[in-house]
Amino acid sequence: MVQKKEKRTGKRPAVPLPLVAVFVLAVLLPSTVLSFLALRAADREAVYVERSLEAALLAEVNLAANRISALLDALASDLKMEAAAIPLESGSMRSWSREVPAAAFPFLLKDGILTIPEGQGSPAEHEVFRSSFGGFLRGDAQIPVYDHLAGVYRKEMGAFSSREVSPTLLDTGEYGADVASVLPSPPALLEEPSPEKDAPAAPAPAPSFWPGLTQTLGKKASRPAVPDGIAMQQMQSIMTSDPAVREEVFQKAEEEGFALLQRNVAPQAGSVSGADREERSRTVAKGKTFAELRMESSGGLLPRRTDRGLDLIYWLNRGNGDAAGFFLDTEAIRDMIAGAVPDLLTEVRVLAVLDDRGEPLVRPEIPALPDWRRPFVAREISPLLPGWEAGSWLVDPEFVSSRARFAVLAVWILTAVLFVVILAGGVSVIRMLSAEIRTARQKATFAASVSHELKTPLTSIRLFAEMLLSGRTRSEEKKNEYLRTMVSEAERLSRLVDNVLTFSGKGNGGQKLAMEPLDLAELAAGTADQLQPHLAGNGFSLSFRGQKRLPVTGDREALRQVLMNLLSNGEKYSGDRREITVECRAENGMAVIDILDRGIGVDPRHSEKIFQEFFREDDSLAAPKGGAGLGLSIARDIARRHGGDVLYAPRDGGGSIFSLLLPFDGTGENFRG
């Protein structure tokens, strides 16, 4: 039965605070923290994607630079053997035949005279050679000699080893390959220069430590001598990892007369979006004469940058002040380098080698060429090719940002889904636990209410029975009144017991229904007649109208219980206007019994809740209207087991309408609950 009051709060039962606290501390708070950390990681996804791509592309660039260094290594080795075989007599040079394709023509420096054999090379090549290297080889001029900063200052790592090798040609660090084989042979392997004629002054001692580098290296300088390659690698590592030391090295080089160069490119990886970084090259230049160079080395490749581009020779000290070598065919070298580079184009990047003018050796066949000045990653190749860069450009400049946006979006979506799932799950658990707690409370209240409801009619029956037994009541009218009250209370007790038994049987699938053909209108009329005396005694007017015959199939006693519950509900919650009407009608293939009252009505918010088990707005024992909160729940359950339903609707002018709907003939085919 439903408890309806004129004044209602309409509030949901409060969720227990300890349960909310456990949910917040054990579920919601950790989920929020994890979501926050995930979103912070997502914001850094662009940096991660860029660094991953940078590492992958830089590995390819290093591979290309290493192959070029190995190519120069092999070329220098071949040229060394060829230069050692050049005749020292100028007349005999005419018979020289080119064995190395990159060698354009040989030259000979003997007794200060520079000789080019006739018939070797073109007049234009001779003119280029003489303008670039003629005065230098004769000792009349200086040219810039290129070196890597780490090669210049590797002595700061400790004492030199005993090898007399040129720092200009040593490269095992940034340039990616050990080019020891392209170094000129130590003088000991050739004819030693005579002390009287060629011996140079002793080289100046290694530059002393400056403060920043001393602080970085600690006590390394006091250790025993370190091999040149290792010392140079250590120097490069310090310069890369410590910007302060790198700046001091550049400053020191400038103070000592080295020319600081600028790179032709501004790598974009790790830079601010759209910024062109002016990067200084780690290759430096210093003007030297041929005599100074011969003091440091016995031969090797020697580049010179001009307005025409890069000119390159190979020279070899032949002893007694003589030297021989080759002027190299730059176009042939460019072709050899282009053939040594890995695949030029993939779906992601363009890999190219830029010359000293910033132009690619090979242009890829793509619709839109990249900005060659702005590679994604790049590195200088070698001091032997000053100004040359190996670099990688993205085919799609937005590749990194699009990948990062996709990753960030995916993380946001996954985090949001996870958070929503956790939150929804937590809320569901709280609601389930709250429902269980509420049900447990309702069951406790139900037990107390049932005890109270059972006790009330039993007390009345006992009271009137004792009065009749005592013989104090002489009036027959009073005796009949007491007997009617006892019968009414017994019927009330019977209905309550029936409801309790029906409710107890729901957990096992409900009581088995004894289905039989019956007239629902006749059953409703009989039930109304049965309650007529009781209702009239309580001041109610009960009227019956409507269709005379409603054939259905059902359990007579179960349907009678439904009607009794609905009529009892109308009686219990009536106001000052004590009117109850029973109407029988047919609608859409359904037999309908309407119970209309002029009671206090139902709050629209609770129009469905009133059919829930134990639902009573005021479930205290002091409530003005008693009941266990089972009547309407049982009525709807029985009706639905018959293929029908019990519905509520407000009545115009005040009150309620409770309708029992059953399919005609008991088939249930015309009803969809």
Side-chain angles (χ1 to χ4, degrees):
M1 307 291 278
V2 65
Q3 180 71 17
K4 300 177 285 186
K5 297 176 62 177
E6 295 181 3
K7 294 183 179 180
R8 330 175 168 261
T9 62
K11 295 182 179 179
R12 291 175 175 267
V15 178
L17 289 179
L19 194 61
V20 175
V22 170
F23 171 71
V24 171
L25 295 178
V27 179
L28 190 58
L29 184 60
S31 301
T32 303
V33 172
L34 291 177
S35 300
F36 174 73
L37 295 177
L39 295 179
R40 285 195 61 187
D43 291 337
R44 300 175 183 174
E45 186 65 22
V47 177
Y48 173 77
V49 171
E50 180 175 330
R51 288 181 179 177
S52 299
L53 186 61
E54 178 184 2
L57 296 183
L58 192 57
E60 290 189 317
V61 170
N62 288 336
L63 175 62
N66 292 345
R67 288 186 178 182
I68 295 172
S69 296
L71 176 67
L72 296 176
D73 183 358
L75 176 62
S77 179
D78 293 341
L79 292 173
K80 178 181 177 181
M81 291 187 294
E82 286 285 311
I86 294 176
L88 294 178
E89 298 295 332
S90 57
S92 303
M93 291 180 63
R94 297 177 181 178
S95 61
W96 175 82
S97 60
R98 181 166 62 178
E99 298 293 337
V100 180
F105 57 83
F107 66 85
L108 178 65
L109 180 67
K110 186 174 178 61
D111 299 328
I113 300 174
L114 183 61
T115 304
I116 301 175
E118 296 180 3
Q120 302 289 341
S122 66
E125 290 176 325
H126 292 180
E127 180 61 27
V128 170
F129 170 70
R130 291 183 185 279
S131 64
S132 294
F133 298 101
F136 169 74
L137 291 174
R138 289 191 299 267
D140 300 334
Q142 291 183 338
I143 66 170
V145 177
Y146 300 96
D147 197 358
H148 189 276
L149 271 176
V152 174
Y153 293 112
R154 69 185 187 274
K155 297 179 183 180
E156 295 291 346
M157 297 303 302
F160 270 103
S161 65
S162 60
R163 291 188 299 157
E164 296 291 340
V165 295
S166 170
T168 305
L169 304 178
L170 183 59
D171 177 23
T172 57
E174 177 183 343
Y175 299 108
D178 187 353
V179 294
S181 57
V182 305
L183 298 177
S185 302
L189 300 180
L190 302 173
E191 181 180 351
E192 288 287 348
S194 62
E196 297 80 6
K197 186 174 182 180
D198 298 313
S208 61
F209 278 53
W210 49 89
L213 187 59
T214 304
Q215 183 179 5
T216 303
L217 298 179
K219 299 181 179 180
K220 288 185 179 179
S222 63
R223 296 177 181 177
V226 179
D228 293 347
I230 296 176
M232 186 165 141
Q233 287 280 22
Q234 291 174 332
M235 188 65 185
Q236 286 188 148
S237 175
I238 295 171
M239 289 180 60
T240 300
S241 61
D242 193 331
V245 170
R246 182 167 62 249
E247 191 62 31
E248 286 191 54
V249 171
F250 278 116
Q251 183 179 352
K252 185 73 173 178
E254 190 171 20
E255 291 174 356
E256 294 185 355
F258 286 93
L260 303 183
L261 308 179
Q262 291 291 334
R263 297 179 66 179
N264 293 327
V265 297
Q268 299 302 296
S271 66
V272 179
S273 178
D276 287 335
R277 298 181 300 178
E278 290 293 336
E279 287 209 2
R280 287 179 294 188
S281 171
R282 295 193 186 183
T283 297
V284 294
K286 192 171 187 179
K288 294 183 180 181
T289 64
F290 189 44
E292 292 173 329
L293 187 59
R294 293 174 70 179
M295 291 167 54
E296 299 174 355
S297 176
S298 62
L301 293 169
L302 183 63
R304 184 173 186 184
R305 298 176 68 177
T306 66
D307 294 338
R308 298 180 302 271
L310 185 69
D311 295 331
L312 196 63
I313 65 171
Y314 182 86
W315 67 277
L316 182 67
N317 190 0
R318 296 295 296 273
N320 296 322
D322 300 336
F326 300 95
F327 181 74
L328 302 183
D329 184 347
T330 307
E331 291 301 321
I333 292 177
R334 291 169 67 95
D335 184 66
M336 294 169 61
I337 291 175
V341 176
D343 293 339
L344 177 66
L345 181 65
T346 66
E347 294 180 354
V348 176
R349 57 88 181 138
V350 175
L351 182 65
V353 175
L354 305 183
D355 61 19
D356 56 310
R357 290 173 293 186
E359 294 296 326
L361 301 188
V362 181
R363 292 180 179 270
E365 297 295 332
I366 55 178
L369 292 175
D371 182 357
W372 298 115
R373 175 169 165 69
R374 301 177 62 188
F376 186 70
V377 293
R379 55 160 287 180
E380 299 173 88
I381 296 175
S382 169
L384 300 179
L385 298 173
W388 285 47
E389 301 265 357
S392 186
W393 290 256
L394 297 179
V395 174
D396 178 11
E398 299 296 323
F399 177 79
V400 173
S401 58
S402 62
R403 284 280 299 274
R405 283 195 300 268
F406 176 78
V408 170
L409 180 61
V411 171
W412 271 91
I413 292 175
L414 291 177
T415 303
V417 170
L418 178 62
F419 188 78
V420 169
V421 169
I422 292 175
L423 186 61
V427 171
S428 299
V429 170
I430 286 183
R431 293 186 63 182
M432 291 173 60
L433 292 177
S434 300
E436 290 296 326
I437 293 174
R438 187 163 55 249
T439 302
R441 289 176 178 172
Q442 289 173 339
K443 286 182 177 180
T445 303
F446 165 73
S449 298
V450 167
S451 299
H452 180 72
E453 290 293 305
L454 290 173
K455 185 177 181 181
T456 300
L458 286 175
T459 301
S460 298
I461 293 172
R462 179 179 177 182
L463 174 63
F464 288 113
E466 288 178 349
M467 291 176 66
L468 291 174
L469 286 175
S470 65
R472 297 176 183 175
T473 304
R474 304 285 184 180
S475 171
E476 290 296 327
E477 182 179 351
K478 281 290 185 179
K479 291 181 180 179
N480 291 334
E481 180 182 349
Y482 292 165
L483 290 174
R484 284 195 300 271
T485 301
M486 293 172 63
V487 171
S488 175
E489 291 298 317
E491 290 175 349
R492 176 184 172 189
L493 182 60
S494 177
R495 288 196 301 272
L496 180 59
V497 172
D498 288 342
N499 285 339
V500 172
L501 292 176
T502 302
F503 169 73
S504 301
K506 286 177 63 176
N508 299 321
Q511 292 180 333
K512 187 176 180 180
L513 299 176
M515 307 297 285
E516 60 176 316
L518 56 90
D519 184 352
L520 186 60
E522 179 185 353
L523 180 63
T527 305
D529 290 340
Q530 183 179 351
L531 285 178
Q532 173 69 36
H534 171 74
L535 294 174
N538 290 328
F540 281 88
S541 63
L542 177 62
S543 60
F544 183 91
R545 62 175 180 262
Q547 191 167 329
K548 294 184 178 180
R549 191 170 185 276
L550 296 174
V552 298
T553 299
D555 186 311
R556 184 178 298 273
E557 293 305 318
L559 294 178
R560 187 190 305 276
Q561 184 179 1
V562 172
L563 294 170
M564 293 286 281
N565 285 349
L566 296 180
L567 288 168
S568 176
N569 191 74
E571 174 194 3
K572 185 180 298 183
Y573 300 107
S574 291
D576 296 334
R577 299 174 61 184
R578 300 197 166 196
E579 301 175 6
I580 298 179
T581 302
V582 179
E583 288 187 354
C584 302
R585 58 189 175 89
E587 181 180 339
N588 297 327
M590 304 291 292
V592 182
I593 305 295
D594 293 327
I595 310 296
L596 301 89
D597 64 54
R598 290 297 182 181
I600 60 178
V602 176
D603 190 325
R605 294 174 298 175
H606 301 154
S607 59
E608 283 299 317
K609 284 189 174 183
I610 58 177
F611 294 101
Q612 296 177 2
E613 295 171 353
F614 310 121
F615 181 80
R616 299 171 68 236
E617 257 188 277
D618 188 352
D619 57 4
S620 66
L621 294 179
K625 304 295 183 182
L630 294 177
L632 293 179
S633 172
I634 291 173
R636 171 170 278 188
D637 178 67
I638 293 174
R640 288 185 172 179
R641 291 173 64 193
H642 281 77
D645 204 351
V646 173
L647 303 177
Y648 162 79
R651 186 179 182 184
D652 294 338
S656 303
I657 303 175
F658 286 91
S659 302
L660 169 62
L661 294 83
L662 293 178
F664 279 123
D665 299 324
T667 61
E669 296 177 356
N670 298 317
F671 179 78
R672 297 293 181 264

XYZ file of all heavy atoms in Angstrom, residues 551-615:
517
model
N -14.949 -10.610 -20.207
C -14.408 -11.967 -20.102
C -12.873 -11.968 -20.170
O -12.282 -11.433 -21.109
C -15.022 -12.683 -21.308
C -15.289 -11.591 -22.302
C -15.629 -10.379 -21.517
N -12.245 -12.554 -19.173
C -10.787 -12.698 -19.145
C -10.453 -14.085 -18.618
O -11.341 -14.823 -18.182
C -10.127 -11.629 -18.253
C -10.386 -10.226 -18.788
C -10.606 -11.765 -16.813
N -9.214 -14.421 -18.625
C -8.726 -15.669 -18.032
C -7.742 -15.291 -16.932
O -6.784 -14.536 -17.175
C -8.026 -16.552 -19.073
O -8.967 -16.891 -20.091
C -7.487 -17.816 -18.424
N -7.956 -15.811 -15.716
C -7.066 -15.459 -14.631
C -7.356 -16.241 -13.381
O -8.254 -17.085 -13.336
N -6.559 -15.956 -12.360
C -6.731 -16.572 -11.048
C -7.711 -15.702 -10.262
O -7.404 -14.543 -9.946
C -5.375 -16.651 -10.341
C -5.455 -17.416 -9.036
O -6.356 -17.112 -8.233
O -4.603 -18.293 -8.830
N -8.888 -16.264 -9.931
C -9.950 -15.480 -9.306
C -9.487 -14.853 -7.991
O -9.691 -13.660 -7.745
C -11.184 -16.371 -9.094
C -12.400 -15.642 -8.521
C -13.571 -16.605 -8.390
N -13.966 -17.140 -9.683
C -14.827 -16.547 -10.516
N -15.375 -15.391 -10.154
N -15.139 -17.102 -11.666
N -8.863 -15.640 -7.128
C -8.482 -15.130 -5.811
C -7.353 -14.107 -5.919
O -7.302 -13.124 -5.171
C -8.081 -16.289 -4.900
C -9.218 -17.215 -4.550
C -10.391 -16.461 -3.932
O -10.140 -15.541 -3.085
O -11.546 -16.754 -4.279
N -6.437 -14.330 -6.854
C -5.343 -13.368 -7.016
C -5.876 -12.033 -7.519
O -5.481 -10.959 -7.029
C -4.296 -13.925 -7.986
N -6.807 -12.076 -8.497
C -7.385 -10.828 -9.008
C -8.265 -10.157 -7.960
O -8.327 -8.931 -7.883
C -8.179 -11.107 -10.284
C -7.349 -11.581 -11.488
C -8.250 -11.882 -12.675
C -6.308 -10.526 -11.870
N -8.944 -10.964 -7.137
C -9.725 -10.384 -6.046
C -8.796 -9.624 -5.079
O -9.129 -8.551 -4.572
C -10.501 -11.475 -5.314
C -11.489 -10.908 -4.266
C -12.053 -12.021 -3.397
N -12.671 -13.064 -4.191
C -13.937 -13.016 -4.656
N -14.679 -11.955 -4.379
N -14.435 -14.001 -5.364
N -7.584 -10.214 -4.846
C -6.615 -9.557 -3.967
C -6.172 -8.218 -4.556
O -6.010 -7.230 -3.833
C -5.395 -10.473 -3.762
C -4.379 -9.917 -2.778
C -3.204 -10.867 -2.580
O -3.144 -11.934 -3.203
N -2.303 -10.493 -1.711
N -6.018 -8.164 -5.878
C -5.658 -6.904 -6.530
C -6.739 -5.857 -6.295
O -6.456 -4.713 -5.904
C -5.423 -7.125 -8.048
C -5.234 -5.785 -8.754
C -4.219 -8.019 -8.286
N -7.987 -6.240 -6.524
C -9.088 -5.293 -6.361
C -9.240 -4.863 -4.902
O -9.503 -3.680 -4.607
C -10.384 -5.918 -6.872
C -10.429 -6.192 -8.391
C -11.651 -7.019 -8.753
C -10.421 -4.890 -9.162
N -9.073 -5.798 -3.977
C -9.175 -5.457 -2.561
C -8.075 -4.464 -2.167
O -8.319 -3.507 -1.415
C -9.067 -6.728 -1.712
C -10.238 -7.687 -1.866
S -11.733 -7.110 -1.054
C -11.362 -7.546 0.624
N -6.875 -4.670 -2.690
C -5.771 -3.757 -2.376
C -6.046 -2.355 -2.919
O -5.769 -1.351 -2.257
C -4.458 -4.287 -2.950
C -3.895 -5.451 -2.148
O -4.372 -5.733 -1.039
N -2.892 -6.123 -2.688
N -6.577 -2.289 -4.153
C -6.856 -0.982 -4.750
C -7.982 -0.260 -3.998
O -7.902 0.951 -3.753
C -7.216 -1.142 -6.227
C -6.104 -1.705 -7.143
C -6.592 -1.816 -8.583
C -4.855 -0.834 -7.070
N -9.041 -1.002 -3.621
C -10.128 -0.386 -2.865
C -9.671 0.031 -1.465
O -10.032 1.107 -0.965
C -11.308 -1.355 -2.771
C -12.089 -1.579 -4.074
C -13.038 -2.765 -3.942
C -12.855 -0.318 -4.454
N -8.853 -0.815 -0.840
C -8.335 -0.485 0.488
C -7.429 0.739 0.424
O -7.415 1.575 1.339
C -7.571 -1.684 1.060
O -6.993 -1.365 2.301
N -6.652 0.858 -0.691
C -5.786 2.026 -0.872
C -6.624 3.306 -0.983
O -6.293 4.344 -0.410
C -4.936 1.837 -2.130
C -3.832 2.872 -2.243
O -2.846 2.805 -1.527
N -4.007 3.844 -3.133
N -7.748 3.216 -1.741
C -8.630 4.366 -1.859
C -9.253 4.760 -0.533
O -9.446 5.951 -0.245
N -9.577 3.750 0.280
C -10.148 4.039 1.593
C -9.125 4.698 2.519
O -9.415 5.693 3.197
C -10.653 2.737 2.225
C -11.138 2.922 3.663
C -11.310 1.597 4.379
O -10.992 0.540 3.786
O -11.736 1.625 5.548
N -7.913 4.149 2.511
C -6.908 4.584 3.477
C -6.474 6.028 3.241
O -6.223 6.771 4.188
C -5.704 3.645 3.407
C -4.649 3.926 4.463
C -3.476 2.968 4.347
C -3.931 1.538 4.577
N -2.803 0.583 4.536
N -6.400 6.447 1.978
C -5.838 7.764 1.679
C -6.889 8.742 1.162
O -6.589 9.634 0.380
C -4.690 7.621 0.669
C -3.591 6.759 1.212
C -3.397 5.475 0.723
C -2.792 7.230 2.242
C -2.410 4.676 1.245
C -1.794 6.428 2.773
C -1.599 5.148 2.275
O -0.633 4.360 2.800
N -8.106 8.547 1.581
C -9.156 9.507 1.238
C -9.082 10.712 2.161
O -8.613 10.622 3.312
C -10.536 8.857 1.351
O -10.707 7.893 0.339
N -9.556 11.839 1.643
C -9.594 13.043 2.451
C -10.975 13.243 3.046
O -11.629 12.296 3.494
N -11.408 14.494 2.993
C -12.731 14.807 3.543
C -13.852 14.270 2.669
O -14.934 13.932 3.168
C -12.870 16.322 3.707
C -11.885 16.877 4.731
O -11.473 16.096 5.628
O -11.506 18.055 4.616
N -13.622 14.190 1.351
C -14.648 13.689 0.415
C -14.479 12.176 0.291
O -13.617 11.694 -0.431
C -14.505 14.362 -0.946
C -14.675 15.871 -0.888
C -14.375 16.521 -2.221
N -15.282 16.037 -3.260
C -15.183 16.394 -4.546
N -14.213 17.215 -4.929
N -16.045 15.929 -5.435
N -15.282 11.439 0.973
C -15.126 9.992 1.034
C -15.980 9.351 -0.047
O -17.070 8.850 0.220
C -15.499 9.470 2.418
C -14.627 10.070 3.507
C -14.692 9.290 4.792
N -13.640 9.661 5.706
C -13.268 8.957 6.772
N -13.904 7.829 7.062
N -12.293 9.373 7.543
N -15.427 9.388 -1.274
C -16.128 8.817 -2.416
C -15.198 7.824 -3.113
O -14.041 8.134 -3.381
C -16.522 9.904 -3.414
C -17.412 10.995 -2.849
C -17.654 12.097 -3.855
O -17.213 11.924 -5.026
O -18.248 13.126 -3.496
N -15.717 6.663 -3.409
C -14.982 5.664 -4.185
C -15.912 5.151 -5.271
O -17.064 4.785 -4.996
C -14.492 4.500 -3.310
C -13.512 5.003 -2.244
C -13.821 3.438 -4.175
C -13.011 3.919 -1.319
N -15.396 5.139 -6.520
C -16.188 4.677 -7.657
C -15.431 3.561 -8.360
O -14.218 3.654 -8.573
C -16.441 5.824 -8.656
O -17.112 6.892 -7.968
C -17.286 5.352 -9.815
N -16.180 2.519 -8.715
C -15.615 1.408 -9.490
C -16.249 1.446 -10.869
O -17.476 1.382 -10.996
C -15.880 0.055 -8.803
C -15.288 -1.072 -9.646
C -15.297 0.051 -7.389
N -15.384 1.561 -11.922
C -15.871 1.599 -13.303
C -15.289 0.427 -14.079
O -14.097 0.117 -13.954
C -15.473 2.906 -13.989
C -16.222 4.121 -13.500
C -15.927 5.361 -14.329
O -15.041 5.270 -15.229
O -16.555 6.412 -14.097
N -16.145 -0.190 -14.901
C -15.714 -1.291 -15.758
C -15.833 -0.831 -17.210
O -16.881 -0.296 -17.611
C -16.585 -2.529 -15.525
S -16.587 -3.106 -13.822
N -14.809 -1.060 -18.012
C -14.852 -0.655 -19.413
C -13.867 -1.493 -20.219
O -13.033 -2.240 -19.660
C -14.509 0.823 -19.568
C -13.143 1.218 -19.025
C -12.962 2.731 -19.001
N -11.697 3.120 -18.374
C -10.541 3.250 -19.027
N -10.495 3.010 -20.348
N -9.445 3.604 -18.387
N -13.988 -1.351 -21.553
C -13.071 -2.032 -22.472
C -12.336 -0.970 -23.281
O -12.928 0.030 -23.698
C -13.833 -2.974 -23.391
N -11.034 -1.188 -23.499
C -10.234 -0.200 -24.235
C -9.068 -0.900 -24.924
O -8.250 -1.560 -24.251
C -9.702 0.876 -23.278
C -8.878 1.957 -23.977
C -8.379 3.003 -23.002
O -8.966 3.135 -21.914
O -7.402 3.689 -23.321
N -9.018 -0.762 -26.261
C -7.907 -1.314 -27.054
C -7.667 -2.795 -26.775
O -6.541 -3.243 -26.584
C -6.621 -0.532 -26.784
C -6.728 0.920 -27.199
O -7.417 1.247 -28.177
N -6.056 1.801 -26.462
N -8.739 -3.568 -26.732
C -8.602 -4.995 -26.524
C -8.297 -5.380 -25.109
O -7.895 -6.519 -24.843
N -8.460 -4.462 -24.177
C -8.152 -4.725 -22.782
C -9.415 -4.529 -21.937
O -10.225 -3.638 -22.193
C -7.067 -3.767 -22.274
C -5.785 -3.783 -23.075
S -4.873 -5.335 -22.884
C -4.371 -5.199 -21.188
N -9.556 -5.386 -20.915
C -10.587 -5.203 -19.897
C -10.007 -4.304 -18.820
O -8.920 -4.572 -18.289
C -11.004 -6.538 -19.312
N -10.720 -3.201 -18.475
C -10.174 -2.201 -17.563
C -11.140 -2.010 -16.396
O -12.340 -1.815 -16.592
C -9.950 -0.853 -18.286
C -9.345 0.166 -17.326
C -9.064 -1.030 -19.511
N -10.586 -2.061 -15.177
C -11.327 -1.741 -13.959
C -10.663 -0.513 -13.359
O -9.489 -0.555 -12.961
C -11.324 -2.905 -12.948
C -11.852 -4.192 -13.592
C -12.111 -2.525 -11.706
C -13.306 -4.108 -14.006
N -11.384 0.597 -13.275
C -10.865 1.832 -12.697
C -11.397 1.995 -11.284
O -12.599 1.861 -11.042
C -11.285 3.050 -13.527
C -10.636 3.068 -14.912
O -9.489 2.596 -15.019
O -11.268 3.560 -15.863
N -10.523 2.306 -10.327
C -10.886 2.623 -8.947
C -10.615 4.118 -8.770
O -9.458 4.556 -8.768
C -10.076 1.803 -7.929
C -10.123 0.308 -8.285
C -10.564 2.070 -6.522
C -11.495 -0.302 -8.199
N -11.656 4.907 -8.636
C -11.542 6.356 -8.547
C -11.860 6.808 -7.132
O -12.825 6.330 -6.524
C -12.497 7.053 -9.527
C -12.330 6.738 -11.024
C -13.179 5.505 -11.401
C -12.747 7.926 -11.887
N -11.022 7.704 -6.587
C -11.283 8.241 -5.254
C -11.066 9.748 -5.266
O -10.592 10.327 -6.239
C -10.384 7.564 -4.205
C -8.906 7.830 -4.428
O -8.510 9.016 -4.525
O -8.117 6.861 -4.506
N -11.449 10.387 -4.182
C -11.239 11.816 -4.003
C -10.258 12.067 -2.852
O -10.405 12.999 -2.076
C -12.568 12.505 -3.702
C -13.519 12.571 -4.868
C -12.947 13.405 -6.003
N -13.874 13.520 -7.126
C -13.593 14.175 -8.240
N -12.409 14.749 -8.370
N -14.474 14.236 -9.211
N -9.227 11.237 -2.838
C -8.250 11.323 -1.752
C -7.220 12.421 -1.981
O -7.404 13.344 -2.772
N -6.092 12.290 -1.302
C -5.068 13.337 -1.310
C -4.189 13.285 -2.557
O -3.366 14.172 -2.769
C -4.185 13.222 -0.052
C -3.498 11.850 -0.005
C -5.011 13.473 1.198
C -2.581 11.676 1.173
N -4.307 12.237 -3.379
C -3.547 12.158 -4.614
C -2.101 11.725 -4.408
O -1.670 11.392 -3.303
N -1.338 11.742 -5.498
C 0.059 11.296 -5.499
C 0.915 12.379 -6.135
O 0.548 12.953 -7.170
C 0.224 9.971 -6.276
C 1.698 9.559 -6.345
C -0.602 8.873 -5.628
N 2.036 12.676 -5.519
C 3.005 13.614 -6.109
C 3.458 13.055 -7.462
O 3.841 11.883 -7.552
C 4.212 13.752 -5.167
C 5.132 14.880 -5.583
O 5.289 15.117 -6.801
O 5.705 15.524 -4.685
N 3.400 13.880 -8.535
C 3.807 13.374 -9.867
C 5.201 12.765 -9.878
O 5.479 11.864 -10.664
C 3.734 14.622 -10.758
C 2.753 15.519 -10.083
C 2.926 15.274 -8.616
N 6.091 13.237 -9.024
C 7.449 12.681 -8.998
C 7.469 11.243 -8.504
O 8.442 10.519 -8.715
C 8.342 13.541 -8.104
C 8.586 14.950 -8.634
C 9.360 15.775 -7.636
N 8.614 15.933 -6.396
C 9.111 16.535 -5.310
N 10.330 17.011 -5.322
N 8.365 16.634 -4.216
N 6.394 10.845 -7.808
C 6.366 9.510 -7.211
C 5.346 8.600 -7.880
O 4.990 7.562 -7.323
C 6.039 9.607 -5.715
C 7.015 10.431 -4.949
N 6.687 11.087 -3.780
C 8.327 10.713 -5.186
C 7.744 11.732 -3.325
N 8.757 11.518 -4.173
N 4.911 8.988 -9.085
C 3.852 8.220 -9.739
C 4.286 6.792 -10.068
O 3.434 5.913 -10.225
C 3.397 8.929 -11.017
O 4.491 9.083 -11.909
N 5.584 6.547 -10.202
C 6.061 5.182 -10.435
C 6.630 4.567 -9.168
O 6.606 3.347 -8.999
C 7.116 5.181 -11.544
C 6.553 5.309 -12.955
C 5.637 4.148 -13.302
O 5.973 2.992 -12.980
O 4.560 4.398 -13.880
N 7.157 5.402 -8.304
C 7.746 4.862 -7.078
C 6.717 4.195 -6.177
O 7.066 3.330 -5.366
C 8.442 5.985 -6.308
C 9.774 6.406 -6.884
C 10.465 7.365 -5.929
C 11.853 7.688 -6.422
N 12.554 8.571 -5.464
N 5.458 4.634 -6.284
C 4.442 4.059 -5.397
C 4.246 2.576 -5.646
O 3.656 1.875 -4.817
C 3.094 4.796 -5.565
C 2.621 4.730 -7.022
C 3.220 6.240 -5.094
C 1.263 5.371 -7.249
N 4.723 2.079 -6.790
C 4.600 0.645 -7.088
C 5.833 -0.142 -6.641
O 5.930 -1.336 -6.894
C 4.372 0.430 -8.584
C 3.054 0.981 -9.073
C 2.986 2.200 -9.748
C 1.873 0.295 -8.847
C 1.779 2.707 -10.192
C 0.659 0.797 -9.285
C 0.607 2.010 -9.962
N 6.804 0.545 -6.008
C 7.980 -0.154 -5.507
C 7.676 -0.785 -4.152
O 6.867 -0.262 -3.373
C 9.159 0.812 -5.369
C 9.643 1.397 -6.680
C 10.764 2.405 -6.463
O 11.201 2.641 -5.341
N 11.217 3.002 -7.548
N 8.364 -1.867 -3.877
C 8.178 -2.551 -2.602
C 8.634 -1.655 -1.459
O 9.675 -0.993 -1.550
C 8.969 -3.855 -2.581
C 8.474 -4.872 -3.603
C 9.406 -6.065 -3.702
O 10.490 -6.007 -3.075
O 9.067 -7.030 -4.401
N 7.845 -1.614 -0.401
C 8.131 -0.911 0.847
C 8.066 0.609 0.717
O 8.390 1.311 1.669
C 9.526 -1.276 1.409
C 9.787 -2.745 1.502
C 10.857 -3.325 0.821
C 8.977 -3.565 2.266
C 11.110 -4.663 0.908
C 9.233 -4.914 2.358
C 10.302 -5.466 1.674
N 7.711 1.125 -0.455
C 7.746 2.581 -0.600
C 6.614 3.212 0.203
O 5.432 2.987 -0.068
C 7.630 2.992 -2.065
C 7.685 4.494 -2.247
C 8.888 5.165 -2.236
C 6.510 5.235 -2.383
C 8.936 6.548 -2.369
C 6.552 6.611 -2.518
C 7.772 7.271 -2.515
